[in-house]
């Protein structure tokens, strides 16, 4: 198992060496660490969980013209090249395809305990101080406004409208980040998410106070 993990780490580090900062190797490492933390209290297949954590953003669709199959395909091709069992490869691919927040806005017809673990690990990295930083990093990467009070928040988006949104970064807090606390699957993630959620709420209050010249 460790040899497989080590080879996967090298592959991911090389593949994502020039990735956008919110979806680079350091994001992968944090999600991997979160996964191992959750596995201290949750029962799931460790190899499937760790491989998925390492490979889940190997080719994120939003950086590949919306292609949702490219990530699972590249992950599968790599794992096959290092002789990982076909049933493990298939499980990893299914999790990658179904774990994102965007995927949850459409039809999800796959579920496993391993998906719960890695999904929580990834969502924890989308909230709190790191989540705030990643949101504005991606917003800058896409040249989006920080905030525009004239652009309304959309709370009822479907998968396609979410994929195609160009809204300011502050809107993203309400359209995704602040929703994640109540979407955690595991007890460990739910506990961690509480504090990170509160941190985001405090940040937003400070942001609005400064925006409006109150502080």
């Amino acid at each position: 198992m460790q040899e497989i993990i080590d080879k996967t780490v090298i592959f991911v580090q090389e593949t994502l060496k020039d990735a956008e900062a919110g979806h680079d190797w350091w994001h992968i490492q944090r999600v991997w660490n979160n996964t191992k933390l959750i596995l201290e209290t949750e029962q799931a297949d460790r190899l499937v969980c760790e491989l998925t954590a390492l490979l889940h953003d190997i080719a994120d669709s939003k950086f590949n013209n919306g292609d949702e199959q490219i990530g699972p395909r590249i992950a599968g091709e790599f794992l096959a090249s290092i002789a990982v069992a076909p049933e493990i490869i298939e499980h990893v691919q299914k999790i990658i395809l179904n774990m994102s927040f965007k995927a949850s806005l459409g039809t999800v017809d796959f579920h496993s305990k391993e998906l719960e673990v890695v999904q929580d690990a990834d969502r924890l990295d989308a909230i709190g101080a790191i989540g705030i930083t990643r949101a504005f990093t991606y917003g800058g990467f896409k040249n989006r406004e920080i905030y525009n009070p004239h652009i309304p928040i959309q709370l009822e988006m479907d998968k396609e409208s979410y994929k195609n949104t160009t809204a300011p970064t502050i809107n993203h807090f309400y359209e995704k980040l602040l929703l994640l606390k109540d979407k955690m699957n595991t007890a460990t993630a739910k506990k961690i998410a509480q504090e990170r959620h509160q941190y985001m709420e405090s940040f937003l209050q400070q942001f609005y106070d400064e925006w409006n010249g109150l502080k």
Side-chain angles (χ1 to χ4, degrees):
M1 173 176 167
Q2 192 57 49
E3 182 179 0
I4 291 172
I5 295 296
D6 291 344
K7 288 180 179 179
T8 304
V9 168
I10 293 170
F11 172 71
V12 175
Q13 287 177 331
E14 177 62 25
T15 303
L16 298 182
K17 64 183 179 182
D18 298 317
E20 181 267 338
H23 300 81
D24 59 2
W25 163 250
W26 300 113
H27 162 63
I28 300 301
Q29 186 175 70
R30 292 189 302 269
V31 173
W32 185 25
N33 287 338
N34 288 341
T35 296
K36 289 184 281 188
L37 175 63
I38 294 170
L39 285 172
E40 291 179 7
T41 54
E42 299 290 332
Q43 296 297 314
D45 187 304
R46 176 171 290 273
L47 182 58
V48 170
C49 289
E50 291 198 37
L51 288 176
T52 307
L54 288 166
L55 291 164
H56 77 280
D57 270 345
I58 199 65
D60 191 309
S61 63
K62 59 179 164 286
F63 301 110
N64 289 277
N65 299 314
D67 184 352
E68 296 178 21
Q69 300 297 324
I70 187 171
R73 184 174 71 250
I74 290 175
E77 290 171 352
F78 166 73
L79 293 175
S81 77
I82 59 171
V84 173
E87 63 271 18
I88 293 177
I89 295 175
E90 182 180 9
H91 196 170
V92 169
Q93 289 177 309
K94 286 181 176 179
I95 298 174
I96 293 173
L97 187 62
N98 290 282
M99 66 180 276
S100 70
F101 179 78
K102 175 180 75 257
S104 73
L105 299 176
T107 301
V108 178
D109 55 10
F110 172 78
H111 180 266
S112 71
K113 183 64 179 182
E114 291 72 22
L115 182 149
E116 288 187 358
V117 169
V118 185
Q119 186 177 64
D120 279 2
D122 188 38
R123 288 178 172 177
L124 285 174
D125 202 56
I127 60 177
I130 294 290
I132 292 170
T133 305
R134 292 181 65 215
F136 286 105
T137 296
Y138 183 71
F141 178 81
K142 299 294 286 187
N143 198 31
R144 293 181 181 172
E145 292 182 278
I146 293 173
Y147 176 53
N148 186 331
H150 302 299
I151 298 178
I153 294 163
Q154 303 294 327
L155 294 178
E156 300 298 330
M157 286 193 289
D158 59 19
K159 184 177 180 180
E160 286 306 308
S161 59
Y162 179 83
K163 283 174 64 174
N164 296 317
T165 183
T166 59
T169 299
I170 288 295
N171 291 40
H172 186 61
F173 282 79
Y174 299 93
E175 294 166 355
K176 177 185 176 181
L177 308 188
L178 291 171
L179 305 178
L180 294 179
K181 172 178 68 70
D182 294 329
K183 293 181 177 293
M184 297 295 172
N185 303 296
T186 64
T188 300
K190 289 176 181 178
K191 182 177 180 180
I192 296 170
Q194 291 288 340
E195 182 176 350
R196 297 191 185 191
H197 181 88
Q198 291 170 7
Y199 188 91
M200 291 193 298
E201 289 187 324
S202 298
F203 166 80
L204 287 169
Q205 186 59 60
Q206 181 72 20
F207 178 90
Y208 292 129
D209 286 347
E210 293 181 16
W211 184 276
N212 294 309
L214 299 179
K215 287 188 178 180

